[in-house]
Amino acid sequence: MAARAPRAADLAELDAAVAGCCACPRLVAWREEVARVRRAAFRDQEYWGRPVPGFGAADARIAILGLAPAAHGGNRTGRIFTGDRSGDVLFAALYRAGLANQPTSVAVGDGLELRHTRIAAAVRCAPPENKPTPAERDTCAPWLHREFELIKPTLRVVVALGAFAWAAWWPILRRVYGVQPPTPRPAFGHGAHWFGGAVPQVLGCYHVSQQNTFTGRLTPAMLDEVFARARRLAGLDDSR
């Protein structure tokens, strides 16, 4: 299925193709099992149970790159970061930064719109223990690369949520922009900043997981700083 990615003419076609991918047997089995068994709090809901496409503006100037959908978040709702605690934190921060029209996201069709921003995951299926294998990451990469090709004309800044997303950027740099990644690779860290000339700048941000937000490793103020910086680098300071 991922071989179809380069042929997608636009984001709508790409998103539809992503949702039908069955390339990774372990991920297919897990996402479908989660959708069948369901968490008790959501037992009356119909789970999406498929790969989760990216979401947001086709002319995005900022891309937010995450790891993978949550088992009972995006895998349930069908929209990345929607319906889980990580999404609660992320969308509230995007709203404060003027990059979303509302601070919450609980379900597809709830009115959420992103401004100048698109969100995507390096791996499109919810993985067991939130840990995709290297082979699954590489199998999924063509979807990610095509998505970045389609938003390339306007994209100025990438916010990488966590070390996994930071690592996923460098193959994009080579495949989409034809630029050889730096050697050695810049180290990930919260607030890390990489600039390589006529390509998008990259900002590192701790992932909005509960492990980080509940412990105070990542605070709302830290997120606000990252997205304010992303706005400035994207040339959006005078735009809302």
Side-chain angles (χ1 to χ4, degrees):
M1 284 293 297
R4 296 174 55 188
R7 300 196 296 272
D10 54 30
L11 287 171
E13 185 177 336
L14 181 73
D15 292 347
V18 165
C21 186
C22 296
C24 299
R26 186 182 79 112
L27 297 186
V28 171
W30 171 253
R31 77 192 192 206
E32 292 181 354
E33 175 70 5
V34 170
R36 183 184 66 83
V37 175
R38 307 177 189 177
R39 178 173 285 173
F42 308 124
R43 65 165 55 97
D44 61 338
Q45 297 185 18
E46 187 72 24
Y47 273 54
W48 171 257
R50 290 185 276 165
V52 180
F55 170 68
D59 58 351
R61 302 189 74 165
I62 299 170
I64 300 171
L65 183 55
L67 192 162
H72 302 282
N75 188 58
R76 173 174 60 88
T77 64
R79 191 167 68 193
I80 192 70
F81 280 113
T82 296
D84 62 26
R85 295 291 182 86
S86 296
D88 292 345
V89 173
L90 177 61
F91 289 117
L94 292 176
Y95 176 74
R96 294 192 300 269
L99 299 173
N101 68 324
Q102 61 189 46
T104 59
S105 175
V106 296
V108 173
D110 63 6
L112 177 69
E113 296 178 4
L114 300 184
R115 297 167 176 159
H116 315 292
T117 304
R118 186 166 178 89
I119 302 176
V123 174
R124 303 307 169 102
C125 293
E129 299 181 347
N130 291 320
K131 294 179 181 179
T133 67
E136 290 162 350
R137 174 201 62 203
D138 295 345
T139 299
C140 209
W143 299 121
L144 184 66
H145 296 170
R146 184 56 180 157
E147 188 161 7
F148 272 79
E149 286 175 347
L150 290 169
I151 63 175
K152 178 180 176 181
T154 57
L155 187 62
R156 299 293 178 268
V157 180
V158 176
V159 177
L161 298 178
F164 191 97
W166 180 266
W169 164 251
W170 310 111
I172 298 171
L173 184 64
R174 180 174 56 250
R175 172 65 179 80
V176 176
Y177 292 90
V179 174
Q180 189 64 29
T183 303
R185 300 286 190 270
F188 170 76
H190 184 83
H193 178 205
W194 179 82
F195 177 59
V199 296
Q201 301 186 56
V202 184
L203 298 176
C205 178
Y206 290 148
H207 196 279
V208 287
S209 66
Q210 294 181 59
Q211 181 180 357
N212 288 331
T213 58
F214 280 18
T215 61
R217 187 175 189 232
L218 179 64
T219 66
M222 292 166 68
L223 272 174
D224 290 348
E225 184 178 355
V226 167
F227 288 123
R229 191 177 187 186
R231 283 188 61 97
R232 291 194 301 271
L233 293 175
L236 293 172
D237 271 352
D238 297 325
S239 176
R240 284 277 173 174

